[in-house]
Amino acid sequence: MTMFYNTRNIKVIYLTIFIFAAVAFTLSSCVDQKQIAYFQKGSQDHDTITVAQAFVPKIQPGDILSISVGSLNPMASSFFNPYSAMPVTSDNATGGNTGAGGSSAATAQTAAPGFLVDSAGIIEIPLIGSIKVSGLGTSQLREVLKKRLVIYLKEPTVNVRFLNYKISIMGEVARPSVYVIPNEQITLPEALSMAGDLTIFGKRDNVLVIRDHNGKKEFGHVNLNSRELYSSPYFYLHSNDVVYVEPGKGRIAQTDKTYQILPIILSALSFIAIIFSYSHIKL
């Protein structure tokens, strides 16, 4: 009889150990620091790295341009600024963003006044007429306009900016949204910081950047854990880039009801097994 109880007690103890191990494995949500820390040293342990060449955007059909003309005669300059008196309806058009719950930057930027580049890459400017702008940078267009304007203005000044330079940030970030970039240049770390950084569930070693390139969609992957990010062709983002942060297993575990209920069940079974084992040991 004693041997029977001892054998059963041993089985119960083994069952308890197994259940505790299962609970510990299930509840274990500790993440290795290497999966979270940004810009870690590579295999060569170097402290300097060559940064990718800065991206200079080119004007494309569908772009909206802000063109501001000035000169020694403000009255004469006003003829070339047909949109200067039109108010911008939202702060987002100048680069602000209210976040995921507020107004969309993509909606706001369409309300911003400017010169729309048509399908042929041409804009129409008062008095000057049609100008082929597709393929030019903003600095190049500025010089072209100044040469055209010297006929009408004395010492003209020109400022050209993109009004629809935007990127989309999706997935496991604090504030996923569409962001308008006022200075025509932004890096991937800056963009993610603007979106409130990745959540704890975001996979930092496999951030996806979707880019339009020669009429095709280009899919690039970036590892934020590595310093090699700085030499990546996706370090500088292009207009209309989409940044997607993939969720990790932690997010799946948090949303899956099975993962939510299983630890409770295992804990209850462990408690029952302990009570059962203790009562038989007393016997």
Side-chain angles (χ1 to χ4, degrees), residues 184-221:
E184 305 170 12
Q185 188 176 95
I186 188 169
T187 66
L188 180 58
E190 288 172 339
L192 293 173
S193 297
M194 188 166 56
D197 201 2
L198 280 69
T199 68
I200 193 64
F201 302 108
K203 294 184 67 174
R204 287 153 173 78
D205 61 348
N206 193 33
V207 175
L208 176 65
V209 178
I210 305 172
R211 176 170 296 168
D212 293 326
H213 183 68
N214 293 332
K216 298 180 180 179
K217 291 291 184 183
E218 180 179 289
F219 296 83
H221 296 269

PDB file of all heavy atoms in Angstrom, residues 184-221:
ATOM      1  N   GLU A 184      11.920  67.803 -47.695  1.00  0.00           N
ATOM      2  CA  GLU A 184      12.247  66.965 -48.841  1.00  0.00           C
ATOM      3  C   GLU A 184      13.331  65.941 -48.558  1.00  0.00           C
ATOM      4  O   GLU A 184      13.882  65.335 -49.478  1.00  0.00           O
ATOM      5  CB  GLU A 184      12.672  67.820 -50.042  1.00  0.00           C
ATOM      6  CG  GLU A 184      11.662  68.876 -50.436  1.00  0.00           C
ATOM      7  CD  GLU A 184      12.211  69.857 -51.456  1.00  0.00           C
ATOM      8  OE1 GLU A 184      13.288  69.592 -52.020  1.00  0.00           O
ATOM      9  OE2 GLU A 184      11.573  70.892 -51.678  1.00  0.00           O
ATOM     10  N   GLN A 185      13.652  65.704 -47.304  1.00  0.00           N
ATOM     11  CA  GLN A 185      14.682  64.708 -46.991  1.00  0.00           C
ATOM     12  C   GLN A 185      14.436  64.170 -45.590  1.00  0.00           C
ATOM     13  O   GLN A 185      14.283  64.931 -44.639  1.00  0.00           O
ATOM     14  CB  GLN A 185      16.078  65.314 -47.082  1.00  0.00           C
ATOM     15  CG  GLN A 185      17.193  64.283 -46.963  1.00  0.00           C
ATOM     16  CD  GLN A 185      18.569  64.920 -47.152  1.00  0.00           C
ATOM     17  OE1 GLN A 185      19.229  65.285 -46.186  1.00  0.00           O
ATOM     18  NE2 GLN A 185      18.995  65.054 -48.395  1.00  0.00           N
ATOM     19  N   ILE A 186      14.387  62.842 -45.490  1.00  0.00           N
ATOM     20  CA  ILE A 186      14.181  62.223 -44.182  1.00  0.00           C
ATOM     21  C   ILE A 186      14.797  60.832 -44.194  1.00  0.00           C
ATOM     22  O   ILE A 186      14.762  60.132 -45.210  1.00  0.00           O
ATOM     23  CB  ILE A 186      12.672  62.163 -43.827  1.00  0.00           C
ATOM     24  CG1 ILE A 186      12.483  61.691 -42.380  1.00  0.00           C
ATOM     25  CG2 ILE A 186      11.912  61.261 -44.800  1.00  0.00           C
ATOM     26  CD1 ILE A 186      11.063  61.864 -41.876  1.00  0.00           C
ATOM     27  N   THR A 187      15.374  60.447 -43.075  1.00  0.00           N
ATOM     28  CA  THR A 187      15.947  59.112 -42.943  1.00  0.00           C
ATOM     29  C   THR A 187      14.932  58.189 -42.282  1.00  0.00           C
ATOM     30  O   THR A 187      13.966  58.636 -41.663  1.00  0.00           O
ATOM     31  CB  THR A 187      17.236  59.150 -42.105  1.00  0.00           C
ATOM     32  OG1 THR A 187      16.905  59.536 -40.760  1.00  0.00           O
ATOM     33  CG2 THR A 187      18.242  60.135 -42.700  1.00  0.00           C
ATOM     34  N   LEU A 188      15.203  56.898 -42.392  1.00  0.00           N
ATOM     35  CA  LEU A 188      14.309  55.912 -41.785  1.00  0.00           C
ATOM     36  C   LEU A 188      14.232  56.073 -40.264  1.00  0.00           C
ATOM     37  O   LEU A 188      13.124  56.048 -39.700  1.00  0.00           O
ATOM     38  CB  LEU A 188      14.759  54.501 -42.169  1.00  0.00           C
ATOM     39  CG  LEU A 188      13.926  53.346 -41.607  1.00  0.00           C
ATOM     40  CD1 LEU A 188      12.465  53.459 -42.030  1.00  0.00           C
ATOM     41  CD2 LEU A 188      14.503  51.994 -42.074  1.00  0.00           C
ATOM     42  N   PRO A 189      15.352  56.244 -39.550  1.00  0.00           N
ATOM     43  CA  PRO A 189      15.237  56.452 -38.088  1.00  0.00           C
ATOM     44  C   PRO A 189      14.429  57.701 -37.749  1.00  0.00           C
ATOM     45  O   PRO A 189      13.662  57.701 -36.783  1.00  0.00           O
ATOM     46  CB  PRO A 189      16.697  56.587 -37.640  1.00  0.00           C
ATOM     47  CG  PRO A 189      17.482  55.833 -38.667  1.00  0.00           C
ATOM     48  CD  PRO A 189      16.767  56.090 -39.957  1.00  0.00           C
ATOM     49  N   GLU A 190      14.601  58.771 -38.535  1.00  0.00           N
ATOM     50  CA  GLU A 190      13.834  59.993 -38.268  1.00  0.00           C
ATOM     51  C   GLU A 190      12.337  59.750 -38.467  1.00  0.00           C
ATOM     52  O   GLU A 190      11.503  60.223 -37.689  1.00  0.00           O
ATOM     53  CB  GLU A 190      14.309  61.115 -39.194  1.00  0.00           C
ATOM     54  CG  GLU A 190      15.680  61.664 -38.851  1.00  0.00           C
ATOM     55  CD  GLU A 190      16.195  62.642 -39.897  1.00  0.00           C
ATOM     56  OE1 GLU A 190      15.703  62.609 -41.050  1.00  0.00           O
ATOM     57  OE2 GLU A 190      17.098  63.433 -39.565  1.00  0.00           O
ATOM     58  N   ALA A 191      12.003  59.026 -39.528  1.00  0.00           N
ATOM     59  CA  ALA A 191      10.595  58.749 -39.816  1.00  0.00           C
ATOM     60  C   ALA A 191       9.963  57.917 -38.706  1.00  0.00           C
ATOM     61  O   ALA A 191       8.837  58.199 -38.266  1.00  0.00           O
ATOM     62  CB  ALA A 191      10.465  58.027 -41.158  1.00  0.00           C
ATOM     63  N   LEU A 192      10.673  56.903 -38.245  1.00  0.00           N
ATOM     64  CA  LEU A 192      10.135  56.060 -37.174  1.00  0.00           C
ATOM     65  C   LEU A 192      10.023  56.830 -35.868  1.00  0.00           C
ATOM     66  O   LEU A 192       9.091  56.609 -35.087  1.00  0.00           O
ATOM     67  CB  LEU A 192      11.020  54.823 -36.995  1.00  0.00           C
ATOM     68  CG  LEU A 192      11.002  53.837 -38.170  1.00  0.00           C
ATOM     69  CD1 LEU A 192      12.043  52.737 -37.970  1.00  0.00           C
ATOM     70  CD2 LEU A 192       9.622  53.227 -38.353  1.00  0.00           C
ATOM     71  N   SER A 193      10.950  57.741 -35.629  1.00  0.00           N
ATOM     72  CA  SER A 193      10.860  58.584 -34.437  1.00  0.00           C
ATOM     73  C   SER A 193       9.643  59.496 -34.519  1.00  0.00           C
ATOM     74  O   SER A 193       8.951  59.730 -33.524  1.00  0.00           O
ATOM     75  CB  SER A 193      12.136  59.422 -34.284  1.00  0.00           C
ATOM     76  OG  SER A 193      13.267  58.599 -34.092  1.00  0.00           O
ATOM     77  N   MET A 194       9.379  60.013 -35.732  1.00  0.00           N
ATOM     78  CA  MET A 194       8.224  60.873 -35.931  1.00  0.00           C
ATOM     79  C   MET A 194       6.924  60.107 -35.669  1.00  0.00           C
ATOM     80  O   MET A 194       5.927  60.675 -35.199  1.00  0.00           O
ATOM     81  CB  MET A 194       8.240  61.416 -37.371  1.00  0.00           C
ATOM     82  CG  MET A 194       7.208  62.465 -37.673  1.00  0.00           C
ATOM     83  SD  MET A 194       7.563  63.318 -39.232  1.00  0.00           S
ATOM     84  CE  MET A 194       7.648  61.920 -40.358  1.00  0.00           C
ATOM     85  N   ALA A 195       6.940  58.803 -35.938  1.00  0.00           N
ATOM     86  CA  ALA A 195       5.765  57.961 -35.710  1.00  0.00           C
ATOM     87  C   ALA A 195       5.723  57.414 -34.288  1.00  0.00           C
ATOM     88  O   ALA A 195       4.924  56.520 -33.982  1.00  0.00           O
ATOM     89  CB  ALA A 195       5.753  56.801 -36.706  1.00  0.00           C
ATOM     90  N   GLY A 196       6.574  57.938 -33.411  1.00  0.00           N
ATOM     91  CA  GLY A 196       6.537  57.519 -32.006  1.00  0.00           C
ATOM     92  C   GLY A 196       7.349  56.283 -31.695  1.00  0.00           C
ATOM     93  O   GLY A 196       7.181  55.687 -30.633  1.00  0.00           O
ATOM     94  N   ASP A 197       8.227  55.858 -32.618  1.00  0.00           N
ATOM     95  CA  ASP A 197       9.093  54.694 -32.439  1.00  0.00           C
ATOM     96  C   ASP A 197       8.288  53.390 -32.531  1.00  0.00           C
ATOM     97  O   ASP A 197       7.056  53.396 -32.508  1.00  0.00           O
ATOM     98  CB  ASP A 197       9.847  54.740 -31.116  1.00  0.00           C
ATOM     99  CG  ASP A 197      11.095  53.862 -31.114  1.00  0.00           C
ATOM    100  OD1 ASP A 197      11.392  53.255 -32.158  1.00  0.00           O
ATOM    101  OD2 ASP A 197      11.782  53.807 -30.083  1.00  0.00           O
ATOM    102  N   LEU A 198       9.005  52.279 -32.636  1.00  0.00           N
ATOM    103  CA  LEU A 198       8.372  50.970 -32.693  1.00  0.00           C
ATOM    104  C   LEU A 198       7.806  50.609 -31.326  1.00  0.00           C
ATOM    105  O   LEU A 198       8.348  51.000 -30.292  1.00  0.00           O
ATOM    106  CB  LEU A 198       9.373  49.896 -33.130  1.00  0.00           C
ATOM    107  CG  LEU A 198       9.697  49.762 -34.618  1.00  0.00           C
ATOM    108  CD1 LEU A 198      10.487  50.948 -35.131  1.00  0.00           C
ATOM    109  CD2 LEU A 198      10.479  48.477 -34.865  1.00  0.00           C
ATOM    110  N   THR A 199       6.727  49.843 -31.330  1.00  0.00           N
ATOM    111  CA  THR A 199       6.235  49.286 -30.082  1.00  0.00           C
ATOM    112  C   THR A 199       7.158  48.138 -29.671  1.00  0.00           C
ATOM    113  O   THR A 199       8.011  47.690 -30.449  1.00  0.00           O
ATOM    114  CB  THR A 199       4.800  48.757 -30.234  1.00  0.00           C
ATOM    115  OG1 THR A 199       4.820  47.597 -31.092  1.00  0.00           O
ATOM    116  CG2 THR A 199       3.891  49.811 -30.851  1.00  0.00           C
ATOM    117  N   ILE A 200       6.981  47.651 -28.461  1.00  0.00           N
ATOM    118  CA  ILE A 200       7.808  46.547 -27.977  1.00  0.00           C
ATOM    119  C   ILE A 200       7.583  45.280 -28.791  1.00  0.00           C
ATOM    120  O   ILE A 200       8.410  44.373 -28.816  1.00  0.00           O
ATOM    121  CB  ILE A 200       7.527  46.287 -26.476  1.00  0.00           C
ATOM    122  CG1 ILE A 200       8.597  45.362 -25.864  1.00  0.00           C
ATOM    123  CG2 ILE A 200       6.129  45.708 -26.291  1.00  0.00           C
ATOM    124  CD1 ILE A 200       9.975  45.942 -25.867  1.00  0.00           C
ATOM    125  N   PHE A 201       6.455  45.213 -29.517  1.00  0.00           N
ATOM    126  CA  PHE A 201       6.128  44.021 -30.295  1.00  0.00           C
ATOM    127  C   PHE A 201       6.677  44.083 -31.724  1.00  0.00           C
ATOM    128  O   PHE A 201       6.581  43.109 -32.455  1.00  0.00           O
ATOM    129  CB  PHE A 201       4.603  43.842 -30.358  1.00  0.00           C
ATOM    130  CG  PHE A 201       3.949  43.730 -29.016  1.00  0.00           C
ATOM    131  CD1 PHE A 201       3.172  44.768 -28.525  1.00  0.00           C
ATOM    132  CD2 PHE A 201       4.117  42.603 -28.237  1.00  0.00           C
ATOM    133  CE1 PHE A 201       2.564  44.677 -27.283  1.00  0.00           C
ATOM    134  CE2 PHE A 201       3.518  42.504 -26.991  1.00  0.00           C
ATOM    135  CZ  PHE A 201       2.741  43.541 -26.511  1.00  0.00           C
ATOM    136  N   GLY A 202       7.200  45.221 -32.157  1.00  0.00           N
ATOM    137  CA  GLY A 202       7.675  45.354 -33.531  1.00  0.00           C
ATOM    138  C   GLY A 202       8.981  44.612 -33.774  1.00  0.00           C
ATOM    139  O   GLY A 202       9.878  44.614 -32.928  1.00  0.00           O
ATOM    140  N   LYS A 203       9.111  43.961 -34.930  1.00  0.00           N
ATOM    141  CA  LYS A 203      10.341  43.245 -35.294  1.00  0.00           C
ATOM    142  C   LYS A 203      11.338  44.250 -35.862  1.00  0.00           C
ATOM    143  O   LYS A 203      11.162  44.777 -36.960  1.00  0.00           O
ATOM    144  CB  LYS A 203      10.031  42.152 -36.317  1.00  0.00           C
ATOM    145  CG  LYS A 203       9.156  41.034 -35.776  1.00  0.00           C
ATOM    146  CD  LYS A 203       8.945  39.929 -36.797  1.00  0.00           C
ATOM    147  CE  LYS A 203      10.224  39.187 -37.092  1.00  0.00           C
ATOM    148  NZ  LYS A 203       9.987  38.026 -37.981  1.00  0.00           N
ATOM    149  N   ARG A 204      12.387  44.490 -35.119  1.00  0.00           N
ATOM    150  CA  ARG A 204      13.358  45.498 -35.496  1.00  0.00           C
ATOM    151  C   ARG A 204      14.369  45.018 -36.525  1.00  0.00           C
ATOM    152  O   ARG A 204      15.060  45.818 -37.140  1.00  0.00           O
ATOM    153  CB  ARG A 204      14.086  45.995 -34.238  1.00  0.00           C
ATOM    154  CG  ARG A 204      13.210  46.874 -33.359  1.00  0.00           C
ATOM    155  CD  ARG A 204      13.616  46.829 -31.904  1.00  0.00           C
ATOM    156  NE  ARG A 204      12.871  47.811 -31.120  1.00  0.00           N
ATOM    157  CZ  ARG A 204      11.619  47.658 -30.716  1.00  0.00           C
ATOM    158  NH1 ARG A 204      10.969  46.541 -31.017  1.00  0.00           N
ATOM    159  NH2 ARG A 204      11.010  48.588 -30.023  1.00  0.00           N
ATOM    160  N   ASP A 205      14.449  43.718 -36.698  1.00  0.00           N
ATOM    161  CA  ASP A 205      15.458  43.178 -37.604  1.00  0.00           C
ATOM    162  C   ASP A 205      14.933  42.955 -39.022  1.00  0.00           C
ATOM    163  O   ASP A 205      15.649  42.434 -39.878  1.00  0.00           O
ATOM    164  CB  ASP A 205      16.019  41.859 -37.059  1.00  0.00           C
ATOM    165  CG  ASP A 205      14.946  40.783 -36.903  1.00  0.00           C
ATOM    166  OD1 ASP A 205      13.748  41.123 -37.006  1.00  0.00           O
ATOM    167  OD2 ASP A 205      15.300  39.611 -36.674  1.00  0.00           O
ATOM    168  N   ASN A 206      13.688  43.349 -39.287  1.00  0.00           N
ATOM    169  CA  ASN A 206      13.119  43.068 -40.610  1.00  0.00           C
ATOM    170  C   ASN A 206      12.045  44.105 -40.976  1.00  0.00           C
ATOM    171  O   ASN A 206      10.910  43.767 -41.267  1.00  0.00           O
ATOM    172  CB  ASN A 206      12.525  41.657 -40.646  1.00  0.00           C
ATOM    173  CG  ASN A 206      12.212  41.194 -42.056  1.00  0.00           C
ATOM    174  OD1 ASN A 206      12.901  41.554 -43.009  1.00  0.00           O
ATOM    175  ND2 ASN A 206      11.172  40.404 -42.213  1.00  0.00           N
ATOM    176  N   VAL A 207      12.449  45.390 -40.962  1.00  0.00           N
ATOM    177  CA  VAL A 207      11.524  46.464 -41.326  1.00  0.00           C
ATOM    178  C   VAL A 207      11.439  46.539 -42.845  1.00  0.00           C
ATOM    179  O   VAL A 207      12.457  46.567 -43.538  1.00  0.00           O
ATOM    180  CB  VAL A 207      11.990  47.809 -40.737  1.00  0.00           C
ATOM    181  CG1 VAL A 207      11.096  48.946 -41.216  1.00  0.00           C
ATOM    182  CG2 VAL A 207      12.005  47.744 -39.210  1.00  0.00           C
ATOM    183  N   LEU A 208      10.231  46.563 -43.356  1.00  0.00           N
ATOM    184  CA  LEU A 208       9.998  46.550 -44.804  1.00  0.00           C
ATOM    185  C   LEU A 208       9.798  47.970 -45.330  1.00  0.00           C
ATOM    186  O   LEU A 208       9.037  48.752 -44.759  1.00  0.00           O
ATOM    187  CB  LEU A 208       8.765  45.705 -45.127  1.00  0.00           C
ATOM    188  CG  LEU A 208       8.315  45.651 -46.591  1.00  0.00           C
ATOM    189  CD1 LEU A 208       9.374  44.976 -47.461  1.00  0.00           C
ATOM    190  CD2 LEU A 208       6.983  44.928 -46.712  1.00  0.00           C
ATOM    191  N   VAL A 209      10.496  48.285 -46.433  1.00  0.00           N
ATOM    192  CA  VAL A 209      10.314  49.563 -47.131  1.00  0.00           C
ATOM    193  C   VAL A 209       9.845  49.255 -48.547  1.00  0.00           C
ATOM    194  O   VAL A 209      10.527  48.556 -49.297  1.00  0.00           O
ATOM    195  CB  VAL A 209      11.613  50.393 -47.168  1.00  0.00           C
ATOM    196  CG1 VAL A 209      11.381  51.699 -47.944  1.00  0.00           C
ATOM    197  CG2 VAL A 209      12.101  50.698 -45.760  1.00  0.00           C
ATOM    198  N   ILE A 210       8.666  49.752 -48.900  1.00  0.00           N
ATOM    199  CA  ILE A 210       8.093  49.537 -50.234  1.00  0.00           C
ATOM    200  C   ILE A 210       8.267  50.831 -51.028  1.00  0.00           C
ATOM    201  O   ILE A 210       7.843  51.900 -50.579  1.00  0.00           O
ATOM    202  CB  ILE A 210       6.603  49.157 -50.144  1.00  0.00           C
ATOM    203  CG1 ILE A 210       6.426  47.948 -49.228  1.00  0.00           C
ATOM    204  CG2 ILE A 210       6.035  48.868 -51.530  1.00  0.00           C
ATOM    205  CD1 ILE A 210       4.978  47.611 -48.934  1.00  0.00           C
ATOM    206  N   ARG A 211       8.871  50.722 -52.201  1.00  0.00           N
ATOM    207  CA  ARG A 211       9.247  51.916 -52.976  1.00  0.00           C
ATOM    208  C   ARG A 211       8.850  51.761 -54.438  1.00  0.00           C
ATOM    209  O   ARG A 211       8.966  50.678 -55.017  1.00  0.00           O
ATOM    210  CB  ARG A 211      10.758  52.138 -52.860  1.00  0.00           C
ATOM    211  CG  ARG A 211      11.332  53.277 -53.668  1.00  0.00           C
ATOM    212  CD  ARG A 211      12.776  53.514 -53.267  1.00  0.00           C
ATOM    213  NE  ARG A 211      12.865  53.947 -51.871  1.00  0.00           N
ATOM    214  CZ  ARG A 211      14.003  54.003 -51.183  1.00  0.00           C
ATOM    215  NH1 ARG A 211      15.138  53.633 -51.750  1.00  0.00           N
ATOM    216  NH2 ARG A 211      13.990  54.421 -49.931  1.00  0.00           N
ATOM    217  N   ASP A 212       8.375  52.852 -55.025  1.00  0.00           N
ATOM    218  CA  ASP A 212       8.104  52.884 -56.469  1.00  0.00           C
ATOM    219  C   ASP A 212       9.414  53.135 -57.208  1.00  0.00           C
ATOM    220  O   ASP A 212      10.128  54.109 -56.922  1.00  0.00           O
ATOM    221  CB  ASP A 212       7.106  53.996 -56.805  1.00  0.00           C
ATOM    222  CG  ASP A 212       5.725  53.725 -56.232  1.00  0.00           C
ATOM    223  OD1 ASP A 212       5.334  52.550 -56.176  1.00  0.00           O
ATOM    224  OD2 ASP A 212       5.046  54.689 -55.836  1.00  0.00           O
ATOM    225  N   HIS A 213       9.711  52.251 -58.169  1.00  0.00           N
ATOM    226  CA  HIS A 213      10.967  52.391 -58.912  1.00  0.00           C
ATOM    227  C   HIS A 213      10.761  51.939 -60.355  1.00  0.00           C
ATOM    228  O   HIS A 213      10.498  50.765 -60.615  1.00  0.00           O
ATOM    229  CB  HIS A 213      12.076  51.559 -58.262  1.00  0.00           C
ATOM    230  CG  HIS A 213      13.413  51.709 -58.923  1.00  0.00           C
ATOM    231  ND1 HIS A 213      14.140  52.884 -58.872  1.00  0.00           N
ATOM    232  CD2 HIS A 213      14.154  50.839 -59.657  1.00  0.00           C
ATOM    233  CE1 HIS A 213      15.267  52.724 -59.532  1.00  0.00           C
ATOM    234  NE2 HIS A 213      15.294  51.492 -60.026  1.00  0.00           N
ATOM    235  N   ASN A 214      10.821  52.892 -61.266  1.00  0.00           N
ATOM    236  CA  ASN A 214      10.669  52.608 -62.701  1.00  0.00           C
ATOM    237  C   ASN A 214       9.368  51.853 -63.004  1.00  0.00           C
ATOM    238  O   ASN A 214       9.362  50.880 -63.757  1.00  0.00           O
ATOM    239  CB  ASN A 214      11.867  51.813 -63.217  1.00  0.00           C
ATOM    240  CG  ASN A 214      13.151  52.617 -63.188  1.00  0.00           C
ATOM    241  OD1 ASN A 214      13.137  53.845 -63.283  1.00  0.00           O
ATOM    242  ND2 ASN A 214      14.277  51.923 -63.038  1.00  0.00           N
ATOM    243  N   GLY A 215       8.304  52.304 -62.381  1.00  0.00           N
ATOM    244  CA  GLY A 215       7.000  51.699 -62.643  1.00  0.00           C
ATOM    245  C   GLY A 215       6.755  50.386 -61.944  1.00  0.00           C
ATOM    246  O   GLY A 215       5.734  49.731 -62.190  1.00  0.00           O
ATOM    247  N   LYS A 216       7.656  49.976 -61.054  1.00  0.00           N
ATOM    248  CA  LYS A 216       7.506  48.728 -60.325  1.00  0.00           C
ATOM    249  C   LYS A 216       7.588  48.993 -58.820  1.00  0.00           C
ATOM    250  O   LYS A 216       8.104  50.015 -58.387  1.00  0.00           O
ATOM    251  CB  LYS A 216       8.586  47.717 -60.732  1.00  0.00           C
ATOM    252  CG  LYS A 216       8.541  47.317 -62.205  1.00  0.00           C
ATOM    253  CD  LYS A 216       9.643  46.321 -62.525  1.00  0.00           C
ATOM    254  CE  LYS A 216       9.610  45.901 -63.988  1.00  0.00           C
ATOM    255  NZ  LYS A 216      10.691  44.937 -64.309  1.00  0.00           N
ATOM    256  N   LYS A 217       7.080  48.027 -58.058  1.00  0.00           N
ATOM    257  CA  LYS A 217       7.172  48.089 -56.609  1.00  0.00           C
ATOM    258  C   LYS A 217       8.436  47.358 -56.160  1.00  0.00           C
ATOM    259  O   LYS A 217       8.648  46.195 -56.496  1.00  0.00           O
ATOM    260  CB  LYS A 217       5.949  47.460 -55.951  1.00  0.00           C
ATOM    261  CG  LYS A 217       4.658  48.246 -56.148  1.00  0.00           C
ATOM    262  CD  LYS A 217       4.679  49.567 -55.393  1.00  0.00           C
ATOM    263  CE  LYS A 217       3.336  50.280 -55.526  1.00  0.00           C
ATOM    264  NZ  LYS A 217       3.343  51.597 -54.856  1.00  0.00           N
ATOM    265  N   GLU A 218       9.263  48.058 -55.407  1.00  0.00           N
ATOM    266  CA  GLU A 218      10.509  47.494 -54.903  1.00  0.00           C
ATOM    267  C   GLU A 218      10.364  47.258 -53.402  1.00  0.00           C
ATOM    268  O   GLU A 218       9.955  48.152 -52.660  1.00  0.00           O
ATOM    269  CB  GLU A 218      11.643  48.483 -55.187  1.00  0.00           C
ATOM    270  CG  GLU A 218      13.007  48.048 -54.728  1.00  0.00           C
ATOM    271  CD  GLU A 218      14.057  49.093 -55.086  1.00  0.00           C
ATOM    272  OE1 GLU A 218      14.368  49.243 -56.278  1.00  0.00           O
ATOM    273  OE2 GLU A 218      14.538  49.778 -54.162  1.00  0.00           O
ATOM    274  N   PHE A 219      10.691  46.041 -52.965  1.00  0.00           N
ATOM    275  CA  PHE A 219      10.533  45.674 -51.557  1.00  0.00           C
ATOM    276  C   PHE A 219      11.921  45.482 -50.942  1.00  0.00           C
ATOM    277  O   PHE A 219      12.667  44.577 -51.327  1.00  0.00           O
ATOM    278  CB  PHE A 219       9.716  44.389 -51.418  1.00  0.00           C
ATOM    279  CG  PHE A 219       8.294  44.522 -51.900  1.00  0.00           C
ATOM    280  CD1 PHE A 219       7.981  44.386 -53.243  1.00  0.00           C
ATOM    281  CD2 PHE A 219       7.263  44.803 -51.007  1.00  0.00           C
ATOM    282  CE1 PHE A 219       6.677  44.516 -53.693  1.00  0.00           C
ATOM    283  CE2 PHE A 219       5.962  44.937 -51.443  1.00  0.00           C
ATOM    284  CZ  PHE A 219       5.672  44.799 -52.788  1.00  0.00           C
ATOM    285  N   GLY A 220      12.256  46.347 -50.002  1.00  0.00           N
ATOM    286  CA  GLY A 220      13.561  46.265 -49.343  1.00  0.00           C
ATOM    287  C   GLY A 220      13.404  46.017 -47.857  1.00  0.00           C
ATOM    288  O   GLY A 220      12.414  46.436 -47.239  1.00  0.00           O
ATOM    289  N   HIS A 221      14.370  45.332 -47.269  1.00  0.00           N
ATOM    290  CA  HIS A 221      14.315  44.997 -45.843  1.00  0.00           C
ATOM    291  C   HIS A 221      15.502  45.632 -45.119  1.00  0.00           C
ATOM    292  O   HIS A 221      16.624  45.645 -45.630  1.00  0.00           O
ATOM    293  CB  HIS A 221      14.333  43.479 -45.653  1.00  0.00           C
ATOM    294  CG  HIS A 221      13.132  42.796 -46.240  1.00  0.00           C
ATOM    295  ND1 HIS A 221      11.979  42.566 -45.522  1.00  0.00           N
ATOM    296  CD2 HIS A 221      12.898  42.332 -47.491  1.00  0.00           C
ATOM    297  CE1 HIS A 221      11.090  41.970 -46.301  1.00  0.00           C
ATOM    298  NE2 HIS A 221      11.627  41.816 -47.500  1.00  0.00           N
TER     299      HIS A 221
END
